[in-house]
Amino acid sequence: MIKTFTLRAIDHDQATPESGLIAWHVIDENNRKRIVKATTELSRQGFIKTVKPHHDREMPLVELLSYYVEGESFRIDFGMFNETFGYTPREVFAATQEQSESASNRMKKGIRQLFHVPF
C-alpha cells in the first residue's frame, strides 16, 4: 500500500527529563488529516535520541517522518512492512467511519427517547 503524506506541523512536549511525546500532523493524498504520535527518549542535553510509535504498525511512517520538516510531502510504501509482519491491507479510516455511523444511530435513538417519538 503506497500512501502520500504532507507534514503540516510537529509538536513535542517533554514529559520528564528523559522522555517526551511527539505528534506529527499530516494530511494524506485524500486530504484526510491525521496525527501520528510517538514517545521520545531524550539525551541529557534534551535532544531526541529514539522515537517509539504508539502503534507498532506506524513504525515505517514514524521512521520516515523524522527526516522531514513542515510543509514537505513524501510517499511511503507499507507493502513490504505489512507482508513481513503479517498485517493485512486495510482502509485506514474504515473503523472511524463505522464508529461515526453507530454514534449517529445512538444519537437518533437518544433523541427519539427524549421526545417519546415512536421508532
Side-chain angles (χ1 to χ4, degrees), residues 1-3 57 76-80 82 88-92:
M1 169 187 356
I2 298 174
K3 299 284 292 172
R57 192 171 186 151
I76 181 171
D77 184 355
F78 289 99
M80 185 174 285
N82 289 343
T88 56
R90 64 181 170 97
E91 175 59 34
V92 177

Side-chain angles (χ1 to χ4, degrees), residues 9-82:
I10 305 168
D11 295 323
H12 185 263
D13 295 318
Q14 188 171 348
T16 70
E18 300 84 24
S19 67
L21 298 171
I22 191 165
W24 292 275
H25 302 262
V26 297
I27 296 177
D28 72 6
E29 69 275 1
N30 297 314
N31 211 27
R32 292 179 178 149
K33 295 178 182 178
R34 180 173 171 190
I35 300 174
V36 180
K37 297 179 182 180
T39 303
T40 58
E41 181 184 351
L42 306 175
S43 68
R44 288 184 183 176
Q45 298 82 14
F47 296 110
I48 296 173
K49 290 187 340 185
T50 61
V51 180
K52 183 175 190 276
H54 285 188
H55 304 285
D56 291 339
R57 192 171 186 151
E58 294 179 331
M59 177 90 57
L61 182 56
V62 166
E63 289 177 3
L64 200 56
L65 281 166
S66 302
Y67 294 102
Y68 290 93
V69 296
E70 295 173 359
E72 288 188 307
S73 295
F74 59 93
R75 292 181 67 171
I76 181 171
D77 184 355
F78 289 99
M80 185 174 285
F81 179 83
N82 289 343

